[in-house]
Amino acid sequence: MTSAPTKKEVRHPLSFRILHEIIMASILMLVVTGFYIHRPFVGGGGFLMTMTRGVHFFFAAILIITVVARIVAMFVGRNRDWRSFIPTGSDFKLLPKIIKYYAYIGKEPELKKKYNPLQMISYCLTFILIIFQIISGLALNYPDTFGWFNYGWFNDRIDVRMAHFVVTWLFVLFLMIHVYLTIREKFSEIKEMHLLSSSEENKQELVKE
């Protein structure tokens, strides 16, 4: 007797992959322009600084729109995948095995979701940090409107600027680790997420969550 064919679904729908590309490009541009605004590393006078700030604000707006769209897509539509981002008790129980696997002292555990617990935690923290960067960036440019943030959560704008700068470095660290682990695990996932794979390659077995 032959077994019934396994139902498959697209692991990363095209809309999610496009949003991923836009978010990644926006963060990279914000990091580069943000470092220049913090401490100019190329001469060019006031014109270059003005242009850099304009580019920074443009990609900040793009990031805000894209992140809002991705968060909405997590909960709305046939491709909603919020369960793959928010860890549950069973996910946390699996966390030690995942850490052992990444430390090369254990086997890769079987996963029932799109992401493993460590990925879930890191992606949730990434969204939180993005929201923080958006608010702190707006607070630096509109201090009167965001006085509750500059002088409520922090002592002054100098502290906000330093926090904004530190979180930028956290993004750099996250991107380095993210790229390394992606290459280490499955190089094909780079093709998948960067719109280089076919629809058939971008499928996984459907798992009920």
Side-chain angles (χ1 to χ4, degrees):
M1 180 182 295
T2 58
S3 58
T6 304
K7 186 178 180 180
K8 292 188 176 183
E9 67 174 2
V10 176
R11 187 169 188 267
H12 297 294
L14 180 60
S15 58
F16 290 0
R17 296 157 73 190
I18 292 174
L19 290 174
H20 176 272
E21 294 292 276
I22 297 174
I23 290 174
M24 181 194 68
S26 298
I27 290 176
L28 287 174
M29 290 300 299
L30 287 167
V31 167
V32 174
T33 55
F35 280 147
Y36 182 84
I37 293 171
H38 181 79
R39 180 170 295 180
F41 47 82
V42 177
F47 171 76
L48 184 57
M49 175 60 76
T50 300
M51 185 176 68
T52 302
R53 289 174 64 88
V55 172
H56 192 79
F57 297 151
F58 172 78
F59 279 99
I62 295 296
L63 182 64
I64 292 172
I65 295 171
T66 311
V67 167
V68 170
R70 186 61 182 91
I71 292 175
V72 171
M74 284 184 191
F75 300 94
V76 179
R78 65 176 184 175
N79 293 319
R80 57 185 180 275
D81 59 349
W82 63 270
R83 289 188 179 88
S84 294
F85 283 92
I86 301 176
T88 60
S90 59
D91 295 316
F92 282 111
K93 290 180 181 178
L94 197 62
L95 190 58
K97 293 182 179 179
I98 291 294
I99 294 175
K100 288 181 180 179
Y101 169 68
Y102 281 131
Y104 294 99
I105 57 176
K107 295 182 179 180
E108 181 179 13
E110 183 180 354
L111 301 176
K112 295 184 178 180
K113 295 183 179 180
K114 182 162 58 175
Y115 302 120
N116 66 52
L118 206 56
Q119 288 175 311
M120 292 182 192
I121 294 171
S122 62
Y123 294 158
C124 283
L125 289 176
T126 299
F127 275 107
I128 292 172
L129 290 178
I130 287 175
I131 293 172
F132 174 83
Q133 287 295 80
I134 291 171
I135 296 175
S136 59
L138 290 172
L140 289 171
N141 287 279
Y142 304 101
D144 294 335
T145 304
F146 288 84
W148 58 271
F149 186 84
N150 290 330
Y151 304 102
W153 288 27
F154 295 88
N155 293 324
D156 50 38
R157 291 179 65 195
I158 296 176
D159 288 349
V160 176
R161 188 179 301 277
M162 181 55 64
H164 195 77
F165 179 69
V166 170
V167 173
T168 300
W169 274 109
L170 291 178
F171 275 114
V172 173
L173 180 62
F174 169 78
L175 287 173
M176 293 172 61
I177 296 174
H178 182 59
V179 171
Y180 164 72
L181 291 178
T182 302
I183 294 174
R184 173 197 145 164
E185 293 301 301
K186 292 181 180 179
F187 188 76
S188 59
E189 289 191 5
I190 294 181
K191 291 173 56 181
E192 176 184 330
M193 289 306 299
H194 294 283
L195 309 175
L196 299 175
S197 62
S198 65
S199 58
E200 288 300 318
E201 293 175 319
N202 187 33
K203 288 185 177 181
Q204 68 172 3
E205 291 187 2
L206 178 62
V207 177
K208 292 183 179 180
E209 299 176 0

